[in-house]
Amino acid sequence: MITVKSKYTGNLSTEAVHVKSGNGIVTDAPVDNNGKGEAFSPTDLVAAALGSCMMTVMAIAGEKKGLNMEGMNVESTKIMSANPRRISEIKMDFFWKDCTLSDDDRQWIKNIGLTCPVALSLREDLKQSIEFHF
């Protein structure tokens, strides 16, 4: 079954629709690569996917143990290399102001996040700098 349908809409932009839900996203080339930077770039989506995937698998595991994961958030920084043009590093800073997990549960949940499907799918030479501030 098709997961996503995408089309090029001109001016270095695309539209993608999640087939099952009908939700859509728009991408635009970044300013440093001839675009207007008016939407996520495709490489921005990679950084967003990593953060979202990590939080999702942590929430799935946490909820199975009765842990409330609400309030966790992440700030992502994507670093590009020039030759070849690709993502060379993704920095992730996770915050959870009111985290009440024990030290053991904190370490357990962090390890779950670090082994999410997106993290394991990225190139081994793409540096993933992950910091947990909770």
Side-chain angles (χ1 to χ4, degrees), residues 30-86:
V31 174
D32 68 345
N33 199 26
N34 304 313
K36 296 176 188 170
E38 294 178 340
F40 284 101
S41 72
T43 53
D44 292 341
L45 293 176
V46 174
L50 179 59
S52 294
C53 188
M54 291 178 74
M55 286 192 292
T56 299
V57 298
M58 288 189 280
I60 291 168
E63 288 177 4
K64 287 180 181 176
K65 284 183 79 169
L67 305 174
N68 182 352
M69 308 298 291
E70 289 181 27
M72 182 178 14
N73 61 84
V74 64
E75 296 175 359
S76 307
T77 304
K78 170 198 72 176
I79 300 169
M80 299 294 291
S81 65
N83 194 11
R85 184 167 175 82
R86 68 179 189 89

Side-chain angles (χ1 to χ4, degrees), residues 46 86-90 122-128:
V46 174
R86 68 179 189 89
I87 304 168
S88 59
E89 181 178 4
I90 299 175
L122 297 172
R123 292 172 54 127
E124 290 184 17
D125 61 345
L126 190 160
K127 185 176 180 182
Q128 297 178 42

Side-chain angles (χ1 to χ4, degrees), residues 99-111 134:
C99 178
T100 59
L101 301 184
S102 68
D103 288 342
D104 286 344
D105 281 340
R106 287 174 198 239
Q107 191 56 52
W108 171 76
I109 208 75
K110 291 174 187 179
N111 289 336
F134 61 85

